[in-house]
Amino acid sequence: MSAFPMQWPTAHGGPFIQGVIRQQPEDFHVTEIPRYEPEGEGDFLWLKIRKRNQNTDWIAQQLIKIAGIKNNDVQYAGKKDRNAVTEQWFSIHLHGQAEPDLQALLSDDVQILESVRDRSGLRRGNLKGNDFTICVRKLEGDIPALETVLETIQQQGIPNYFGEQRFGHDGNNLLCAQQLFTDSSFRPAKNLRGIYLSAARSYLFNKVLSYRVYHGHWNQAMDGEWLQSPASKSRFIIGRMDDATRARIDKMEINPTGPLWGKGQPESKRECLQMEQRLLNSLETFRTGLEKAGLQQDRRSLRLRVENLSWDIEGDVLQMTFFLPAGCYATSLLREIVCY
């Protein structure tokens, strides 16, 4: 059992069914949507690769080996699940050399779908989001209630939790974060250090969000709340609530936010600040560690609109398609509707 509780409450009364996800890789299909398309010329070769049962780092290492280039000459915008079928972009910095012969990469589980040049390479997080097609098999439970909650999610969204994969198996990334903050002899590699810092920061956010879900105001504004537009990412702090602001919140044009901890003064004020400080007082090691690591105070939307959500139930199989913006997790939707 993890030393860090992660039984976050759901928002819509579920889950109402049990089921099996990822019975086969094709049951979890993800297509990456880049923030911009490659232009067609330049010194960087962009490859759209479909992979099955392969992780992102393995593909990157194969490209490095086949092309005979340095590690930092291959980039991607985000990591994708191994036990899935995923389509994502990689970029190779050619440094004026001819395009490499990538036939050795290809197999039944790896195909190159597109190959396009651009003047710059990919950067982490350079994503608009991801399209998902997910099958849940062997459904058992209240199917009418499942359909009702899916309709509710279409209208009201879901809590924007960080997914459990952020925290590692049995919360191991959090244990490593704790060690990072308390043991000066623990010096993980740079990429692992970043993973542990992200896990600690995400845990603080989820703790605030879970409290607000439990008390039913995760999708409402508090006094001193920062509200965020999901379209522009612009934020403003709420003073006195008025009908126009309340209507915009109800329509999901703006969302309440929670803390992404770092150094500097917390951005929330008054009632909202008092609530967040009270909830996070017991996690001083994480708060202080993140501040000393140099991360800055930021905010993240508490609510997530599940765009283009549609579904079909045939027998004991549920199939869903939807889009989520970058940094959001399909598991945040699945946990609202199914025990798996």
PDB file of all heavy atoms in Angstrom, residues 216-240:
ATOM      1  N   GLY A 216     -18.275  19.082  -3.250  1.00  0.00           N
ATOM      2  CA  GLY A 216     -19.212  19.489  -4.278  1.00  0.00           C
ATOM      3  C   GLY A 216     -18.998  20.857  -4.882  1.00  0.00           C
ATOM      4  O   GLY A 216     -19.910  21.380  -5.544  1.00  0.00           O
ATOM      5  N   HIS A 217     -17.827  21.465  -4.716  1.00  0.00           N
ATOM      6  CA  HIS A 217     -17.610  22.784  -5.316  1.00  0.00           C
ATOM      7  C   HIS A 217     -16.364  22.825  -6.201  1.00  0.00           C
ATOM      8  O   HIS A 217     -15.726  23.863  -6.343  1.00  0.00           O
ATOM      9  CB  HIS A 217     -17.561  23.879  -4.242  1.00  0.00           C
ATOM     10  CG  HIS A 217     -16.596  23.646  -3.114  1.00  0.00           C
ATOM     11  ND1 HIS A 217     -15.246  23.804  -3.251  1.00  0.00           N
ATOM     12  CD2 HIS A 217     -16.808  23.257  -1.836  1.00  0.00           C
ATOM     13  CE1 HIS A 217     -14.647  23.545  -2.094  1.00  0.00           C
ATOM     14  NE2 HIS A 217     -15.582  23.206  -1.214  1.00  0.00           N
ATOM     15  N   TRP A 218     -16.042  21.705  -6.817  1.00  0.00           N
ATOM     16  CA  TRP A 218     -14.922  21.646  -7.751  1.00  0.00           C
ATOM     17  C   TRP A 218     -15.225  22.404  -9.044  1.00  0.00           C
ATOM     18  O   TRP A 218     -14.299  22.811  -9.761  1.00  0.00           O
ATOM     19  CB  TRP A 218     -14.584  20.191  -8.095  1.00  0.00           C
ATOM     20  CG  TRP A 218     -15.710  19.463  -8.776  1.00  0.00           C
ATOM     21  CD1 TRP A 218     -16.830  18.945  -8.180  1.00  0.00           C
ATOM     22  CD2 TRP A 218     -15.838  19.183 -10.171  1.00  0.00           C
ATOM     23  NE1 TRP A 218     -17.645  18.365  -9.117  1.00  0.00           N
ATOM     24  CE2 TRP A 218     -17.058  18.490 -10.346  1.00  0.00           C
ATOM     25  CE3 TRP A 218     -15.040  19.446 -11.290  1.00  0.00           C
ATOM     26  CZ2 TRP A 218     -17.512  18.059 -11.589  1.00  0.00           C
ATOM     27  CZ3 TRP A 218     -15.484  19.016 -12.533  1.00  0.00           C
ATOM     28  CH2 TRP A 218     -16.704  18.328 -12.673  1.00  0.00           C
ATOM     29  N   ASN A 219     -16.498  22.570  -9.351  1.00  0.00           N
ATOM     30  CA  ASN A 219     -16.905  23.252 -10.576  1.00  0.00           C
ATOM     31  C   ASN A 219     -17.602  24.579 -10.278  1.00  0.00           C
ATOM     32  O   ASN A 219     -18.371  25.085 -11.094  1.00  0.00           O
ATOM     33  CB  ASN A 219     -17.825  22.355 -11.399  1.00  0.00           C
ATOM     34  CG  ASN A 219     -19.012  21.842 -10.593  1.00  0.00           C
ATOM     35  OD1 ASN A 219     -19.158  22.157  -9.411  1.00  0.00           O
ATOM     36  ND2 ASN A 219     -19.867  21.052 -11.217  1.00  0.00           N
ATOM     37  N   GLN A 220     -17.334  25.145  -9.097  1.00  0.00           N
ATOM     38  CA  GLN A 220     -17.891  26.432  -8.696  1.00  0.00           C
ATOM     39  C   GLN A 220     -16.751  27.326  -8.220  1.00  0.00           C
ATOM     40  O   GLN A 220     -15.675  26.848  -7.876  1.00  0.00           O
ATOM     41  CB  GLN A 220     -18.919  26.248  -7.576  1.00  0.00           C
ATOM     42  CG  GLN A 220     -20.078  25.324  -7.941  1.00  0.00           C
ATOM     43  CD  GLN A 220     -20.895  24.924  -6.728  1.00  0.00           C
ATOM     44  OE1 GLN A 220     -20.902  25.630  -5.718  1.00  0.00           O
ATOM     45  NE2 GLN A 220     -21.581  23.795  -6.812  1.00  0.00           N
ATOM     46  N   ALA A 221     -17.009  28.616  -8.178  1.00  0.00           N
ATOM     47  CA  ALA A 221     -15.977  29.569  -7.771  1.00  0.00           C
ATOM     48  C   ALA A 221     -16.093  29.894  -6.293  1.00  0.00           C
ATOM     49  O   ALA A 221     -17.187  30.012  -5.746  1.00  0.00           O
ATOM     50  CB  ALA A 221     -16.092  30.854  -8.591  1.00  0.00           C
ATOM     51  N   MET A 222     -14.942  30.022  -5.642  1.00  0.00           N
ATOM     52  CA  MET A 222     -14.862  30.455  -4.256  1.00  0.00           C
ATOM     53  C   MET A 222     -14.415  31.915  -4.211  1.00  0.00           C
ATOM     54  O   MET A 222     -13.866  32.447  -5.182  1.00  0.00           O
ATOM     55  CB  MET A 222     -13.863  29.591  -3.481  1.00  0.00           C
ATOM     56  CG  MET A 222     -14.188  28.122  -3.432  1.00  0.00           C
ATOM     57  SD  MET A 222     -12.902  27.198  -2.538  1.00  0.00           S
ATOM     58  CE  MET A 222     -13.120  27.852  -0.866  1.00  0.00           C
ATOM     59  N   ASP A 223     -14.606  32.544  -3.069  1.00  0.00           N
ATOM     60  CA  ASP A 223     -14.081  33.884  -2.861  1.00  0.00           C
ATOM     61  C   ASP A 223     -12.549  33.850  -2.938  1.00  0.00           C
ATOM     62  O   ASP A 223     -11.899  33.022  -2.296  1.00  0.00           O
ATOM     63  CB  ASP A 223     -14.523  34.402  -1.486  1.00  0.00           C
ATOM     64  CG  ASP A 223     -13.951  35.767  -1.169  1.00  0.00           C
ATOM     65  OD1 ASP A 223     -14.038  36.660  -2.032  1.00  0.00           O
ATOM     66  OD2 ASP A 223     -13.398  35.931  -0.064  1.00  0.00           O
ATOM     67  N   GLY A 224     -11.963  34.713  -3.756  1.00  0.00           N
ATOM     68  CA  GLY A 224     -10.509  34.725  -3.933  1.00  0.00           C
ATOM     69  C   GLY A 224     -10.007  33.708  -4.938  1.00  0.00           C
ATOM     70  O   GLY A 224      -8.802  33.422  -4.992  1.00  0.00           O
ATOM     71  N   GLU A 225     -10.899  33.180  -5.766  1.00  0.00           N
ATOM     72  CA  GLU A 225     -10.577  32.132  -6.743  1.00  0.00           C
ATOM     73  C   GLU A 225      -9.997  32.738  -8.023  1.00  0.00           C
ATOM     74  O   GLU A 225     -10.443  33.781  -8.499  1.00  0.00           O
ATOM     75  CB  GLU A 225     -11.868  31.396  -7.101  1.00  0.00           C
ATOM     76  CG  GLU A 225     -11.742  30.328  -8.162  1.00  0.00           C
ATOM     77  CD  GLU A 225     -11.489  28.971  -7.560  1.00  0.00           C
ATOM     78  OE1 GLU A 225     -12.418  28.390  -6.985  1.00  0.00           O
ATOM     79  OE2 GLU A 225     -10.336  28.510  -7.656  1.00  0.00           O
ATOM     80  N   TRP A 226      -8.997  32.070  -8.584  1.00  0.00           N
ATOM     81  CA  TRP A 226      -8.543  32.385  -9.932  1.00  0.00           C
ATOM     82  C   TRP A 226      -9.344  31.539 -10.910  1.00  0.00           C
ATOM     83  O   TRP A 226      -9.428  30.315 -10.775  1.00  0.00           O
ATOM     84  CB  TRP A 226      -7.062  32.083 -10.104  1.00  0.00           C
ATOM     85  CG  TRP A 226      -6.166  33.174  -9.609  1.00  0.00           C
ATOM     86  CD1 TRP A 226      -5.612  33.283  -8.376  1.00  0.00           C
ATOM     87  CD2 TRP A 226      -5.721  34.319 -10.340  1.00  0.00           C
ATOM     88  NE1 TRP A 226      -4.852  34.424  -8.284  1.00  0.00           N
ATOM     89  CE2 TRP A 226      -4.902  35.084  -9.476  1.00  0.00           C
ATOM     90  CE3 TRP A 226      -5.942  34.787 -11.638  1.00  0.00           C
ATOM     91  CZ2 TRP A 226      -4.294  36.264  -9.868  1.00  0.00           C
ATOM     92  CZ3 TRP A 226      -5.334  35.965 -12.031  1.00  0.00           C
ATOM     93  CH2 TRP A 226      -4.520  36.691 -11.156  1.00  0.00           C
ATOM     94  N   LEU A 227      -9.924  32.180 -11.917  1.00  0.00           N
ATOM     95  CA  LEU A 227     -10.664  31.491 -12.965  1.00  0.00           C
ATOM     96  C   LEU A 227      -9.848  31.513 -14.252  1.00  0.00           C
ATOM     97  O   LEU A 227      -9.130  32.468 -14.527  1.00  0.00           O
ATOM     98  CB  LEU A 227     -12.021  32.160 -13.186  1.00  0.00           C
ATOM     99  CG  LEU A 227     -12.958  32.164 -11.962  1.00  0.00           C
ATOM    100  CD1 LEU A 227     -14.211  32.967 -12.247  1.00  0.00           C
ATOM    101  CD2 LEU A 227     -13.314  30.748 -11.548  1.00  0.00           C
ATOM    102  N   GLN A 228      -9.999  30.452 -15.031  1.00  0.00           N
ATOM    103  CA  GLN A 228      -9.180  30.306 -16.240  1.00  0.00           C
ATOM    104  C   GLN A 228     -10.062  29.995 -17.436  1.00  0.00           C
ATOM    105  O   GLN A 228     -10.989  29.187 -17.350  1.00  0.00           O
ATOM    106  CB  GLN A 228      -8.161  29.191 -16.058  1.00  0.00           C
ATOM    107  CG  GLN A 228      -7.212  29.001 -17.238  1.00  0.00           C
ATOM    108  CD  GLN A 228      -6.205  27.901 -16.996  1.00  0.00           C
ATOM    109  OE1 GLN A 228      -6.576  26.731 -16.903  1.00  0.00           O
ATOM    110  NE2 GLN A 228      -4.947  28.264 -16.867  1.00  0.00           N
ATOM    111  N   SER A 229      -9.743  30.613 -18.550  1.00  0.00           N
ATOM    112  CA  SER A 229     -10.404  30.287 -19.811  1.00  0.00           C
ATOM    113  C   SER A 229      -9.707  29.089 -20.446  1.00  0.00           C
ATOM    114  O   SER A 229      -8.503  29.144 -20.694  1.00  0.00           O
ATOM    115  CB  SER A 229     -10.344  31.477 -20.768  1.00  0.00           C
ATOM    116  OG  SER A 229     -10.632  31.071 -22.095  1.00  0.00           O
ATOM    117  N   PRO A 230     -10.421  27.997 -20.724  1.00  0.00           N
ATOM    118  CA  PRO A 230      -9.754  26.847 -21.356  1.00  0.00           C
ATOM    119  C   PRO A 230      -9.309  27.146 -22.777  1.00  0.00           C
ATOM    120  O   PRO A 230      -8.399  26.491 -23.280  1.00  0.00           O
ATOM    121  CB  PRO A 230     -10.837  25.757 -21.329  1.00  0.00           C
ATOM    122  CG  PRO A 230     -12.125  26.485 -21.184  1.00  0.00           C
ATOM    123  CD  PRO A 230     -11.829  27.730 -20.424  1.00  0.00           C
ATOM    124  N   ALA A 231      -9.912  28.134 -23.412  1.00  0.00           N
ATOM    125  CA  ALA A 231      -9.552  28.455 -24.790  1.00  0.00           C
ATOM    126  C   ALA A 231      -8.247  29.246 -24.850  1.00  0.00           C
ATOM    127  O   ALA A 231      -7.306  28.881 -25.558  1.00  0.00           O
ATOM    128  CB  ALA A 231     -10.677  29.236 -25.456  1.00  0.00           C
ATOM    129  N   SER A 232      -8.155  30.339 -24.088  1.00  0.00           N
ATOM    130  CA  SER A 232      -6.996  31.224 -24.164  1.00  0.00           C
ATOM    131  C   SER A 232      -5.962  30.984 -23.068  1.00  0.00           C
ATOM    132  O   SER A 232      -4.835  31.471 -23.153  1.00  0.00           O
ATOM    133  CB  SER A 232      -7.462  32.675 -24.075  1.00  0.00           C
ATOM    134  OG  SER A 232      -8.001  32.949 -22.783  1.00  0.00           O
ATOM    135  N   LYS A 233      -6.333  30.219 -22.029  1.00  0.00           N
ATOM    136  CA  LYS A 233      -5.495  29.994 -20.847  1.00  0.00           C
ATOM    137  C   LYS A 233      -5.291  31.265 -20.022  1.00  0.00           C
ATOM    138  O   LYS A 233      -4.504  31.263 -19.066  1.00  0.00           O
ATOM    139  CB  LYS A 233      -4.125  29.397 -21.213  1.00  0.00           C
ATOM    140  CG  LYS A 233      -4.201  28.096 -21.991  1.00  0.00           C
ATOM    141  CD  LYS A 233      -4.911  27.000 -21.225  1.00  0.00           C
ATOM    142  CE  LYS A 233      -4.928  25.702 -22.014  1.00  0.00           C
ATOM    143  NZ  LYS A 233      -5.694  24.639 -21.329  1.00  0.00           N
ATOM    144  N   SER A 234      -5.972  32.348 -20.383  1.00  0.00           N
ATOM    145  CA  SER A 234      -5.883  33.573 -19.591  1.00  0.00           C
ATOM    146  C   SER A 234      -6.609  33.377 -18.273  1.00  0.00           C
ATOM    147  O   SER A 234      -7.562  32.587 -18.168  1.00  0.00           O
ATOM    148  CB  SER A 234      -6.484  34.745 -20.358  1.00  0.00           C
ATOM    149  OG  SER A 234      -7.862  34.526 -20.631  1.00  0.00           O
ATOM    150  N   ARG A 235      -6.159  34.100 -17.228  1.00  0.00           N
ATOM    151  CA  ARG A 235      -6.730  33.934 -15.891  1.00  0.00           C
ATOM    152  C   ARG A 235      -7.083  35.285 -15.298  1.00  0.00           C
ATOM    153  O   ARG A 235      -6.463  36.301 -15.614  1.00  0.00           O
ATOM    154  CB  ARG A 235      -5.736  33.229 -14.959  1.00  0.00           C
ATOM    155  CG  ARG A 235      -5.387  31.822 -15.359  1.00  0.00           C
ATOM    156  CD  ARG A 235      -4.825  31.059 -14.153  1.00  0.00           C
ATOM    157  NE  ARG A 235      -3.654  31.670 -13.562  1.00  0.00           N
ATOM    158  CZ  ARG A 235      -2.409  31.342 -13.855  1.00  0.00           C
ATOM    159  NH1 ARG A 235      -2.174  30.419 -14.745  1.00  0.00           N
ATOM    160  NH2 ARG A 235      -1.389  31.938 -13.251  1.00  0.00           N
ATOM    161  N   PHE A 236      -8.070  35.265 -14.417  1.00  0.00           N
ATOM    162  CA  PHE A 236      -8.392  36.461 -13.638  1.00  0.00           C
ATOM    163  C   PHE A 236      -8.924  36.009 -12.287  1.00  0.00           C
ATOM    164  O   PHE A 236      -9.495  34.919 -12.153  1.00  0.00           O
ATOM    165  CB  PHE A 236      -9.409  37.356 -14.361  1.00  0.00           C
ATOM    166  CG  PHE A 236     -10.766  36.727 -14.559  1.00  0.00           C
ATOM    167  CD1 PHE A 236     -11.788  36.939 -13.642  1.00  0.00           C
ATOM    168  CD2 PHE A 236     -11.016  35.933 -15.674  1.00  0.00           C
ATOM    169  CE1 PHE A 236     -13.038  36.366 -13.836  1.00  0.00           C
ATOM    170  CE2 PHE A 236     -12.266  35.358 -15.873  1.00  0.00           C
ATOM    171  CZ  PHE A 236     -13.284  35.584 -14.939  1.00  0.00           C
ATOM    172  N   ILE A 237      -8.710  36.832 -11.285  1.00  0.00           N
ATOM    173  CA  ILE A 237      -9.155  36.482  -9.940  1.00  0.00           C
ATOM    174  C   ILE A 237     -10.548  37.041  -9.715  1.00  0.00           C
ATOM    175  O   ILE A 237     -10.875  38.141 -10.171  1.00  0.00           O
ATOM    176  CB  ILE A 237      -8.170  37.007  -8.875  1.00  0.00           C
ATOM    177  CG1 ILE A 237      -8.445  36.339  -7.529  1.00  0.00           C
ATOM    178  CG2 ILE A 237      -8.209  38.528  -8.772  1.00  0.00           C
ATOM    179  CD1 ILE A 237      -7.319  36.520  -6.532  1.00  0.00           C
ATOM    180  N   ILE A 238     -11.370  36.247  -9.062  1.00  0.00           N
ATOM    181  CA  ILE A 238     -12.742  36.650  -8.849  1.00  0.00           C
ATOM    182  C   ILE A 238     -12.847  37.535  -7.607  1.00  0.00           C
ATOM    183  O   ILE A 238     -12.216  37.269  -6.588  1.00  0.00           O
ATOM    184  CB  ILE A 238     -13.674  35.421  -8.723  1.00  0.00           C
ATOM    185  CG1 ILE A 238     -15.128  35.852  -8.712  1.00  0.00           C
ATOM    186  CG2 ILE A 238     -13.346  34.613  -7.485  1.00  0.00           C
ATOM    187  CD1 ILE A 238     -16.083  34.694  -8.840  1.00  0.00           C
ATOM    188  N   GLY A 239     -13.588  38.600  -7.733  1.00  0.00           N
ATOM    189  CA  GLY A 239     -13.925  39.435  -6.583  1.00  0.00           C
ATOM    190  C   GLY A 239     -15.316  39.074  -6.120  1.00  0.00           C
ATOM    191  O   GLY A 239     -15.550  38.000  -5.585  1.00  0.00           O
ATOM    192  N   ARG A 240     -16.238  39.927  -6.416  1.00  0.00           N
ATOM    193  CA  ARG A 240     -17.627  39.655  -6.070  1.00  0.00           C
ATOM    194  C   ARG A 240     -18.298  38.886  -7.201  1.00  0.00           C
ATOM    195  O   ARG A 240     -18.239  39.294  -8.364  1.00  0.00           O
ATOM    196  CB  ARG A 240     -18.359  40.969  -5.813  1.00  0.00           C
ATOM    197  CG  ARG A 240     -19.802  40.793  -5.361  1.00  0.00           C
ATOM    198  CD  ARG A 240     -20.416  42.141  -5.015  1.00  0.00           C
ATOM    199  NE  ARG A 240     -21.791  41.972  -4.564  1.00  0.00           N
ATOM    200  CZ  ARG A 240     -22.584  42.971  -4.189  1.00  0.00           C
ATOM    201  NH1 ARG A 240     -22.094  44.227  -4.203  1.00  0.00           N
ATOM    202  NH2 ARG A 240     -23.818  42.749  -3.805  1.00  0.00           N
TER     203      ARG A 240
END
